[in-house]
Amino acid sequence: MIATDQAAVRPVRTSEAASMMSGSASPVPAGSVPLARLVDAELEVPVLGGRAVRHVNLDVAASAPAFTVVAEQVARVLPYYASVHRGTGYPSQQTTALVEGARATVARHVGARDDDLVVFTRNTTDALNLLASAVPGDTVVLDLEHHANLLPWRDGARRVVVAQPTIAETLDALDAELARCPAALLTVTGASNVTGEVLPIDRLARLAHAHGARIAVDAAQLLPHRRVSLEASDLDYLAFSGHKAYAPFGAGAFVGRADWLDAAPAHLAGGGAVETVRLDRVEWKHGAARHEAGTPNVVGIVAIARALAEFERLGEAARDSHEQALTDRLHAGLGAQRGIRVVHGFEDADDRLGIATIELERGSVGLLAAALGAEHGISVRAGRFCAHPFFDRVAGRANGLRASLGAGSTTDDVDRFLTALAKLVSDGPAHAYDRGPEGWHPLVDDRPRPEFAF
Ligand code: PMP
């Protein structure tokens, strides 16, 4: 159910209520209450043995629940939903205005220059595939990329640089590669989805431009946690997904310079991307429309715009201190935990998002992740996180377990995870598990399905 009460935007926890009642001005410690209200704030999940517990969601780097204001906005606009750009009726005109308004919101939020394009896509993967079809030359990438920023680049035109033990040495390696042979594009993730380590995109932009290359940033992980600006960081392109930015309705965006995009083949061929069509000749549009054939995901686009507006309302300082407090707590706890190792890419990374990937000295992280879910109601992720080359290089084991946090997370979430992890590492799961094609699962699973399941 969608809450509409504005006062409910930030739930008041016991400690906060106590300090309010006592009139004490002491601020609530950073991270002790959610920064923003998410739709899953009150979610309870069943655990083995017939109980239900408050869900702890430490898998937000994979996909984040919607901000409540995003879900409310979607519910508010749905009655007006109608065809975009073509209809003459009032709802259709409002729908068109919403999409074009969202385009302006995205442009403003990411510091787009006046002549940059904002193309709505399905997600980051889609956005980077679009760019790959437009690059007029070689693309240089680091080996630490998510597959979405590793696989789209044309065979023979992709040059991979292995990231070095330090960020400084990695910049040197990129510098040497771009000096050795010119490239059209350097494309980097803003932050590793495995380690959370943030890359210095301003310095990377200067480096690329010094060699006559453009730079694209895969901001799938970065944008939900840090303000990113094309103009301020002098980036040429930026890609991100709504579903990691608390707008999980199936849209993403690609923003950046128009010339390559205007010269590229249409991302999808079809209605809306063309000026005129004759059976023997097609005149393709320029601008975002060239790559947005077919009916767009209006709901997803509206959701993205509302989420970005919410980031602005929350403010960077509040987001930073909330997530930093939780990240520090998570890493301090993991540092004290025996029997595990935290995976790092760089020795000198001084900024990281609320992501930690661990390896077990003994035992299976897949089983550990399954038990965290089934016995403790805690969601994490096990695997290689669609970054196989990087994971295989930096990790000692075949798979890792990733915990990731965000605006809806609290110190209580982090503590529940650390407590459950310690118990599982020392005692093992309390129930029996089996390993099937989908991974580990309880041998006897008595958790009821929700009533909407079919
Ligand atoms: N890049 C990074 C750094 C990611 O973490 C992800 C998602 N795990 C992607 C790209 C791909 O995002 P999407 O699935 O939304 O296309």
Side-chain angles (χ1 to χ4, degrees):
M1 213 211 318
I2 295 168
T4 50
D5 179 4
Q6 282 301 311
V9 159
R10 196 162 156 273
V12 176
R13 290 276 170 92
T14 324
S15 58
E16 191 178 14
S19 87
M20 281 172 172
M21 281 179 335
S22 69
S24 130
S26 72
V28 182
S32 59
V33 295
L35 175 69
R37 178 93 173 160
L38 306 189
V39 292
D40 71 340
E42 257 88 65
L43 186 66
E44 287 206 334
V45 291
V47 290
L48 298 177
R51 280 183 315 119
V53 297
R54 187 181 67 79
H55 180 231
V56 170
N57 187 349
L58 292 180
D59 195 20
V60 296
S63 251
F67 280 141
T68 300
V69 291
V70 166
E72 286 170 357
Q73 177 74 344
V74 165
R76 205 175 289 133
V77 307
L78 270 178
Y80 291 87
Y81 176 77
S83 69
V84 186
H85 292 143
R86 287 182 270 275
T88 53
Y90 183 81
S92 183
Q93 288 164 355
Q94 299 317 310
T95 299
T96 304
L98 279 168
V99 169
E100 294 313 316
R103 206 184 296 281
T105 300
V106 170
R108 197 197 61 243
H109 185 83
V110 302
R113 294 149 295 240
D114 288 348
D115 47 1
D116 281 341
L117 298 183
V118 175
V119 181
F120 286 116
T121 62
R122 282 176 288 186
N123 47 37
T124 305
T125 305
D126 196 24
L128 293 169
N129 274 268
L130 165 59
L131 178 58
S133 72
V135 185
D138 284 5
T139 297
V140 170
V141 294
L142 286 170
D143 71 332
L144 54 72
E145 298 296 333
H146 185 278
H147 296 165
N149 199 19
L150 202 57
L151 301 181
W153 316 108
R154 279 197 311 275
D155 278 350
R158 182 192 73 177
R159 289 159 32 202
V160 182
V161 171
V162 176
Q164 300 297 303
T166 65
I167 288 179
E169 290 168 295
T170 303
L171 289 175
D172 288 346
L174 283 171
D175 193 38
E177 176 59 23
L178 290 166
R180 184 186 69 77
C181 182
L185 181 71
L186 169 66
T187 179
V188 288
T189 187
S192 163
N193 67 309
V194 177
T195 65
E197 291 163 318
V198 175
L199 279 96
I201 53 175
D202 295 41
R203 283 161 70 198
L204 287 161
R206 282 198 293 279
L207 193 151
H209 293 153
H211 292 285
R214 291 188 180 180
I215 183 164
V217 170
D218 166 358
Q221 292 297 340
L222 191 64
L223 178 129
H225 306 284
R226 296 277 191 283
R227 191 70 186 259
V228 194
S229 165
L230 284 140
E231 193 159 36
S233 296
D234 200 12
L235 310 176
D236 298 291
Y237 303 100
L238 192 77
F240 68 93
S241 302
H243 72 99
K244 294 187 199 280
Y246 313 99
F249 292 86
F254 181 59
V255 190
R257 302 203 185 273
D259 52 355
W260 290 1
L261 294 175
D262 281 343
H267 190 46
L268 289 173
V274 288
E275 298 287 359
T276 57
V277 179
R278 290 181 7 179
L279 289 182
D280 60 351
R281 187 166 56 81
V282 178
E283 205 184 314
W284 298 96
K285 280 184 178 165
H286 287 128
R290 183 185 187 86
H291 300 293
E292 290 180 346
T295 300
N297 176 356
V298 173
V299 170
I301 291 168
V302 166
I304 284 181
R306 187 64 190 88
L308 298 185
E310 182 63 0
F311 286 141
E312 291 172 19
R313 190 190 70 78
L314 293 168
E316 283 170 73
R319 182 167 60 173
D320 286 354
S321 65
H322 178 79
E323 294 190 4
Q324 194 61 54
L326 297 177
T327 304
D328 290 348
R329 194 178 186 98
L330 176 63
H331 279 279
L334 292 176
Q337 173 65 49
R338 292 156 75 132
I340 66 159
R341 173 183 167 264
V342 179
V343 175
H344 294 291
F346 298 111
E347 291 158 9
D348 60 345
D350 57 1
D351 189 11
R352 64 184 162 196
L353 307 182
I355 291 177
T357 291
I358 61 168
E359 299 180 282
L360 281 178
E361 276 168 17
R362 266 191 309 280
S364 158
V365 284
L367 175 58
L368 179 60
L372 281 167
E375 297 178 21
H376 299 272
I378 300 172
S379 293
V380 294
R381 176 155 301 231
R384 288 189 285 169
F385 318 108
C386 294
H388 294 179
F390 178 54
F391 192 83
D392 291 347
R393 180 166 64 73
V394 295
R397 305 290 301 261
N399 290 297
L401 180 147
R402 181 180 73 186
S404 56
L405 52 86
S409 310
T410 61
T411 45
D412 189 45
D413 294 345
V414 173
D415 294 351
R416 263 190 51 200
F417 168 65
L418 292 169
T419 305
L421 177 71
K423 187 164 167 42
L424 287 166
V425 168
S426 70
D427 305 346
H431 293 255
Y433 290 77
D434 194 10
R435 193 175 180 182
E438 299 288 311
W440 290 91
H441 58 86
L443 206 54
V444 180
D445 196 342
D446 61 354
R447 290 173 294 171
R449 313 251 337 253
E451 82 281 5
F452 58 72
F454 56 86

